């Protein structure tokens, strides 16, 4: 009984691992193809800490787009790093935009989001994406998700979930140095 079960499990794993494109990521910054052009922010219903912005207006700057939601523990653990990068690198040209895409109905309430941004001490611009239009334009599937956009408007780095903070900061520094 156990041997056939292991054989079936091994066959499933091999099929998944060996399927064409199973390991591919369309936004893989390490691939030989050119980095994808960043999609525009869409369907933003409310801005906090900023007037409305477009990524087209930010061409020529390094931009970090962070998808998050205020009830996600992984997002809450990532926020201090994003806030630090905003404070540390904004005068060197980094623009951080938090795209709040709610997971639960209460996170769609603008007053709740305003209160959360204040309570969490977020000072960078936050765009409210209740309809998932920006989320879908990026093809995003994760909270938190970080997309680093170069001066030419191309996504050159991404990270999903917690961690890789040193790697992300190194990439931010590299892009900012390329500007100067």
């Amino acid at each position: 009984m156990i041997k056939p079960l292991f054989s079936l499990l091994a066959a499933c794993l091999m099929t998944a691992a060996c399927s064409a494109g199973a390991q591919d990521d369309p936004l893989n910054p390490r691939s030989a193809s050119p980095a994808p052009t960043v999609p525009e922010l869409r369907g933003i219903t409310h801005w906090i800490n900023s007037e409305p912005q477009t990524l087209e207006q930010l061409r020529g700057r390094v931009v970090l787009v962070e998808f998050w939601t205020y009830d996600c523990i992984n997002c809450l653990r990532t926020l201090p790093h994003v806030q630090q990068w905003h404070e540390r690198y904004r005068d060197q040209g980094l623009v951080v935009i938090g795209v709040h895409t709610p997971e639960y109905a209460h996170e769609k309430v603008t007053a709740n989001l305003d209160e959360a941004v204040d309570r969490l001490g977020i000072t960078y611009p936050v765009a409210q994406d209740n309809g998932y239009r920006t989320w879908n334009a990026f093809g995003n599937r994760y909270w938190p998700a970080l997309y680093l956009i170069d001066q030419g408007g191309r996504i050159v780095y991404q990270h999903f979930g917690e961690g890789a903070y040193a790697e992300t900061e190194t990439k931010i520094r590299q892009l900012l140095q390329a500007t100067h």
Side-chain angles (χ1 to χ4, degrees), residues 19 83 168 178:
S19 297
Q83 180 65 38
T168 303

Side-chain angles (χ1 to χ4, degrees), residues 22-27 65-70 72-75 78 99-103 129 132 134-136 138-147 158-162:
Q23 304 301 317
D24 292 346
D25 187 331
L27 297 179
V65 175
E66 167 210 26
F67 285 92
W68 71 290
T69 187
Y70 68 78
C72 165
I73 188 63
N74 305 95
C75 297
T78 301
V99 178
H100 184 272
T101 309
E103 185 173 11
D129 182 30
Y132 282 64
T134 296
W135 172 284
N136 289 332
F138 273 74
N140 191 51
R141 299 178 302 226
Y142 308 102
W143 291 283
L146 302 175
Y147 294 87
Q158 62 189 8
H159 179 75
F160 306 119
E162 294 180 62

Side-chain angles (χ1 to χ4, degrees), residues 9 13 45 47 55 66-67 90 94 108 125 129 143-144 149 154 156 170 174 177:
L9 179 59
L13 289 173
T45 57
W47 283 88
L55 294 174
E66 167 210 26
F67 285 92
R90 69 178 163 215
L94 177 67
K108 292 182 178 183
D129 182 30
W143 291 283
I149 302 158
R154 292 175 303 276
V156 295
T170 296
Q174 289 171 347
Q177 288 172 354

